[in-house]
Amino acid sequence: MLEQITQLQSQAVSDLESVADLDGLERFRVAYLGNKGSVKQLMASLKSVPTEQKPEFGKRANELRQALESEYKQRKQSFGDDGQRQTGPAVDVTEPGTAADLGRPHVVTQTIDGLLEVFGRMGFGVATGPEVEDEYHNFVALNIPAEHPARDPLDNFYLQEPASAGGAVADLPGGAQLLRSQTSTVQIRVMETTPPPVRIVSVGRVYRPDEHDATHYSMFHQIEGLYVDRNVSMVDLKTTLIQFAHAYFGAEAEVRLRPSYFPFTEPSAELDIKMQVKDRWDWVELGGCGMVDPNVFEAVGYDPEQWSGFAFGLGVERIAMRKHGISDIRWLFENDVRFLKQF
Ligand code: FA5
């Protein structure tokens, strides 16, 4: 009698193997698990089994039924909606996936990294200074006297009432504190702590209450350069800036030095570059430069008879704009990912 169960089992397994679609599977179900199916008949035959074999027969018949039901269910799931047996995984791995939204450095940060790289190749180290400065480092040591218009409270973000406005700053060694308006402060801080020669650049934020337009913002970045050694001349300054411009923007970039005035350099010049603003190409000022004024050397304790040097301070946003053809500085700070994603 038990032999009958084994035969039925091997028959069922081989029938199930040859099932090719849902119709075939349904025929299998009716033949084995249906009301008049073989398994039902097997169960019905229990009564004619000799008493001593009944428990074993019943147990084996039950196991067979459970095994076939579970095989049947599994096989049913393996057929797709079209009723055909699926041979591969249920996921189409050749479909394009959903790309993760990767972040990246802001275009201004990318510009800073690029600038430090070019000046690094030219032998400039990197220096830093605080964004909250005092009047001494932002003005006095840079040869900018109290009555100079650059110190006007309306042109600076003072955190305390400045000396020029009659503020009570006697107890503050460096004068009133303000958000630095230029990175030239770092020239002073470096020379105060480093004996010559020095060759550094410094990048950082500066703040001015300028009205926002296509080329001005109230917070922006500058890259400051300072080179002090024996016999440094205007030729070194001009060569350095032109070499930099061609290395960074490409040999076709048009730059010029235009005579200018800064209290802390003599002579002084502006570095201009041709770039597109709105819909036309024009000269745009990248920054100021010049030979370090002897008064600045005296303020930091360098002997102006022995040492000479040049300094420059360039606007980083304007550099980024020229590099990428961005014609309005305000786009850099709107935090519109659709814009920033382009760089
Ligand atoms: C200065 O700040 C001097 N400290 C530069 C300098 C350094 C001269 C060393 C000599 C020696 P100026 O105020 O011109 O200079 O600013 C320099 C550059 O900063 C400008 O040419 C411009 O590129 C950028 N800049 C100035 N104001 C703004 C602004 N509101 N928004 C964006 N960029 C600005």
Side-chain angles (χ1 to χ4, degrees), residues 53-252:
Q53 286 185 14
K54 266 192 178 139
E56 179 66 6
F57 186 95
K59 183 169 163 267
R60 293 272 305 274
N62 235 339
E63 283 170 0
L64 174 63
R65 183 179 54 79
Q66 282 171 1
L68 293 184
E69 274 174 358
S70 119
E71 280 288 321
Y72 164 78
K73 275 187 197 142
Q74 270 185 26
R75 190 54 61 88
K76 193 163 186 192
Q77 276 171 3
S78 77
F79 287 112
D81 293 340
D82 59 1
Q84 297 302 307
R85 188 191 290 196
Q86 288 184 338
T87 48
V91 178
D92 181 356
V93 292
T94 62
E95 281 254 314
T98 317
D101 233 350
L102 284 184
R104 72 190 78 188
H106 189 279
V107 59
V108 171
T109 308
Q110 290 178 35
T111 307
I112 291 169
D113 292 345
L115 292 173
L116 292 180
E117 217 261 322
V118 170
F119 280 110
R121 273 191 269 147
M122 294 167 90
F124 286 81
V126 176
T128 55
E131 286 177 32
V132 173
E133 262 296 2
D134 52 42
E135 287 180 288
Y136 178 78
H137 289 92
N138 203 84
F139 302 120
V140 179
L142 287 162
N143 201 29
I144 305 175
E147 65 284 358
H148 196 282
R151 295 178 65 163
D152 195 307
L154 293 177
D155 290 332
N156 293 281
F157 289 112
Y158 281 99
L159 303 173
Q160 290 161 322
E161 187 139 18
S164 55
V169 293
D171 53 337
L172 295 162
Q177 293 201 306
L178 73 159
L179 297 180
R180 68 179 175 190
S181 63
Q182 50 183 350
T183 45
S184 299
T185 52
V186 184
Q187 287 183 40
I188 304 303
R189 293 202 170 266
V190 167
M191 288 191 283
E192 277 175 342
T193 52
T194 322
V198 293
R199 184 159 35 166
I200 56 95
V201 284
S202 180
V203 185
R205 293 192 190 94
V206 299
Y207 303 84
R208 295 179 192 178
D210 287 350
E211 233 172 87
H212 292 176
D213 63 21
T215 53
H216 292 84
Y217 215 77
S218 49
M219 183 284 302
F220 57 100
H221 296 73
Q222 287 185 336
I223 177 164
E224 191 83 11
L226 174 69
Y227 178 35
V228 181
D229 207 332
R230 296 183 200 279
N231 305 316
V232 178
S233 77
M234 194 79 186
V235 175
D236 299 308
L237 168 60
K238 193 168 175 179
T239 308
T240 302
L241 288 179
I242 290 175
Q243 291 271 337
F244 149 70
H246 288 160
Y248 187 77
F249 296 108
E252 72 290 349

